[in-house]
Amino acid sequence: MKDSHGRVIDYMRISLTDRCNYRCIYCMPADGVTSLCHSDILSLEEIERVVRVAATMGIKRFRLTGGEPLLRKGIEFLIEELSKLKTWNGKPLDVAVTTNGAALSAKAKSLAAAGLKRLTVSLDAMDPQIYKDLNDVNFPIEKTLAGIQAAKDAGIPSIKINVVVKRGVNEKELIKIAEHFKGTGIIVRYIEFMDVGTSNGWRLDDVVPSRQIVEEINRVYPIEPLNPNYTGEVATRWGYKDGSGELGFISSVSEPFCKECSRIRLSVDGKLYKCLFATEGFDIRQMLRGGASDEEIEQAIGRIWTTRDEHYSEIRTEETVKARAGKRIEMSYIGG
Ligand code: SAM
Ligand code: SF4
Ligand code: SF4
């Protein structure tokens, strides 16, 4: 199924909760978000139904995110259920989780037992104080690192690290993070700071372009470009020349990848969004709770996708950022 720019839908990001135990300075307001009440958020069974229908339409990759997805009670049950589903051509779904890692030590075993194969942990600094300053709740890095180790020990096969880079905040940490995970099989991915949410005071000057980070790392640890794993992969892949692993760069600001963007997003209260920067979503919850059939839900998703024209990162300027000031949606709600 193609949108109006010929982009094929194959990926859904699902926000399991708008709550978070961190207040990362680039993501969430210090006083948090006004949490939705329980009856407003999709139940795990409703999410499973949307995924089941989406899988028949060619969506094969699903990422559970948030907010902090490990705070959602029953996430293991959902992973187990999704792991039983198949794509339209009979293959298992690719189900991944993105977490801040705070609860990983406690949850790694149960996540692995539920069938989780792919995990991303956000970690923006190695320096304990910078890590605390970034999460803004004084959470110690030692616990997150122990969580990553627990995920490895539990046998989760693919683990990645997400690093959001903000100028003047964690630039000096980037090599240290690469160094820490080099040779471990864990892939570090550097993400350019984006203008999401209402509170991060985004300015273009705060964005460190990926090519600058590539150059810096290359000076210390020589790296070379690698081919993408698949069409539409958002991270540009680089490998250490000594064969000790790979790195990824997600350059949403300096090199937008809208032309290949194949993702749809399901918000915590069941709205489908065509773009991370969309200001309005389509209410699928109403259909789920109003007796709609699977065919009707499929048709609705089809209509949303085939009319999709979004390509915000290609047209972003300081002016578009200002113009959207009052309308921006929080990352935790839409599922970053
Ligand atoms: N709480 C989980 C976590 O932090 O990994 C999952 C949700 S979080 C919104 C998903 C991803 O978005 C994280 O890797 C986070 O670092 C990233 N993120 C949040 N705010 C961002 C921003 N302003 N620019 C770029 N990435 C951002
Ligand atoms: Fe929470 Fe993740 Fe946002 Fe940090 S990036 S505040 S951990 S949702
Ligand atoms: Fe996709 Fe929207 Fe991001 Fe472009 S700006 S890559 S369309 S989510």
Side-chain angles (χ1 to χ4, degrees), residues 11 24-25 85 117 135 154 156 167 181 201 214 223 256 277 294 309 334:
Y11 181 22
C24 301
I25 56 162
L85 298 176
K117 305 271 186 298
N135 65 51
I156 296 176
R167 192 180 296 286
F181 292 102
V214 167
I223 52 176
F277 300 93
D294 285 357
D309 182 38
I334 197 172

Side-chain angles (χ1 to χ4, degrees), residues 195-198 273 276-280 320-330 333:
D195 49 320
V196 280
T198 51
Y273 286 85
L276 177 57
F277 300 93
T279 47
E280 275 167 32
T320 62
V321 175
K322 274 187 215 133
R324 289 173 60 253
K327 305 182 204 149
R328 284 189 226 146
I329 293 179
E330 296 300 337
Y333 165 80

